[in-house]
């Protein structure tokens, strides 16, 4: 996919899917702002690799749960890259907790990062696009296979289901600004997130419900994200693309 000359901010890009999106976008020609929370060294290593490709890259610390950081994060990305016309909302958390034991703190933390963070980073991005007059802007956010329902995950399912509704609404509302809005619903992807919540034995059973009988890779998700951000997806708007190996969880 061709992202030559495009300017992309990726949230939660210090590892996993966010890192893969940042790297794939740079290979496609984009300059990239790598947002991170708590691992500056990892973020800088990613940025260094992007610079080695001949692209501009900057690392920006910011907690998407903090409403006060969103406008500054977007503005800093735009200043460093010489503009901003692409956004990947990737930052998220998945603390497992049974519903009967779920606390308001777990609910608020999960929704605050996954859904509220996505919404208000998107708002800051859209405001920047409006002010700059950037054309053919696009954003992609990360939902999840878990929207179909998952044990110990009511809070997470709610947050990721909200992203699908948010995507549809923003696609309509931001169309006058020439901003396309889509989201991806990954299945079980081989990153720290599933490995932090399942044993190797449990993961082995889980992937049996996918048609390839394996976990997906962050790069496979990133390839779809780059496609959605590119002009190749110019007629794709308000959609949820499922990248889950044909999973059929009962």
């Amino acid at each position: 996919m061709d992202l030559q000359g495009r300017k992309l901010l990726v949230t939660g890009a210090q590892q996993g899917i966010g890192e893969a999106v940042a790297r794939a976008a740079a290979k496609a020609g984009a300059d990239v702002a790598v947002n991170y929370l708590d691992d500056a060294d990892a973020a800088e290593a990613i940025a260094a690799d992007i610079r080695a490709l001949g692209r501009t890259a900057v690392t920006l610390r910011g907690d998407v749960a903090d409403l006060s950081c969103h406008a500054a994060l977007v503005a800093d990305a735009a200043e460093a890259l010489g503009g901003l016309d692409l956004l990947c909302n990737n930052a998220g958390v998945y603390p497992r907790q049974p519903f009967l034991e779920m606390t308001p703190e777990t609910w608020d933390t999960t929704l605050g990062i996954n859904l509220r963070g996505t919404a208000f980073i998107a708002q800051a991005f859209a405001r920047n696009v409006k002010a700059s007059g950037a054309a053919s802007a696009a954003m992609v956010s990360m939902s999840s296979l878990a929207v179909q329902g998952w044990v110990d995950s009511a809070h997470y399912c709610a947050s990721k289901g909200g992203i699908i509704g948010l995507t549809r609404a923003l696609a309509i509302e931001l169309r006058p600004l020439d901003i396309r809005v889509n989201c991806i619903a990954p299945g079980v992807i081989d990153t720290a997130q599933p490995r932090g919540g399942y044993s190797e034995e449990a993961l082995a059973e889980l992937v049996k419900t996918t048609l390839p009988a394996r976990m997906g890779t962050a790069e496979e998700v990133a390839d779809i994200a780059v496609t959605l951000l590119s002009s190749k997806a110019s007629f794709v708007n308000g959609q949820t693309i499922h990248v889950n190996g044909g999973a059929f969880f009962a």
Side-chain angles (χ1 to χ4, degrees):
M1 294 300 110
D2 183 13
L3 295 183
Q4 196 70 34
R6 307 302 295 272
K7 316 293 184 179
L8 168 66
L9 168 63
V10 185
T11 67
Q14 68 187 40
Q15 63 179 357
I17 291 173
E19 175 185 351
V21 171
R23 292 182 181 278
K27 290 177 182 177
D31 297 325
V32 184
V34 178
N35 163 247
Y36 71 96
L37 176 61
D38 56 12
D39 194 339
D41 289 343
E44 182 52 42
I46 296 163
D49 288 346
I50 291 172
R51 295 183 197 113
L53 295 172
R55 309 310 314 168
T56 299
V58 61
T59 61
L60 298 172
R61 188 189 180 281
D63 182 357
V64 301
D66 180 0
L67 292 174
S68 68
C69 91
H70 297 162
L73 180 61
V74 167
D76 289 348
E79 180 178 4
L81 301 180
L84 194 65
D85 54 9
L86 301 177
L87 170 66
C88 177
N89 271 312
N90 170 76
V93 294
Y94 189 180
R96 276 74 167 180
Q97 197 167 63
F99 180 66
L100 294 183
E101 299 172 15
M102 187 181 69
T103 65
E105 291 77 17
T106 297
W107 176 272
D108 290 346
T109 296
T110 306
L111 273 289
I113 295 171
N114 295 0
L115 183 54
R116 188 181 68 180
T118 292
F120 284 96
I121 287 287
Q123 183 188 69
F125 171 77
R127 287 173 172 171
N128 185 275
V129 168
K130 181 178 180 180
S132 69
S136 302
M139 74 173 77
V140 60
S141 302
M142 293 297 163
S143 180
S144 172
L145 174 66
V147 295
Q148 68 180 20
W150 214 310
V151 67
D152 297 339
S153 304
H155 47 296
Y156 183 75
C157 295
S159 72
K160 293 300 188 176
I163 286 174
I164 291 176
L166 178 69
T167 294
R168 293 171 178 165
L170 295 188
I172 297 168
E173 191 159 351
L174 298 182
R175 180 64 191 92
L177 297 179
D178 195 21
I179 302 174
R180 288 186 303 106
V181 187
N182 293 289
C183 72
I184 296 172
V188 183
I189 306 301
D190 192 2
T191 63
Q193 191 180 84
R195 293 189 180 281
Y198 296 100
S199 66
E200 289 300 315
E201 293 77 13
L203 279 173
E205 289 300 314
L206 198 57
V207 299
K208 289 179 181 178
T209 61
T210 70
L211 296 179
R214 65 170 176 85
M215 288 191 284
T217 68
E219 290 73 21
E220 287 172 315
V221 179
D223 286 344
I224 301 303
V226 168
T227 300
L228 290 173
L229 292 169
S230 79
S231 62
K232 295 294 185 181
S234 59
F235 202 54
V236 182
N237 204 358
Q239 301 304 305
T240 301
I241 308 300
H242 295 271
V243 184
N244 61 27
F248 51 96
F249 295 98

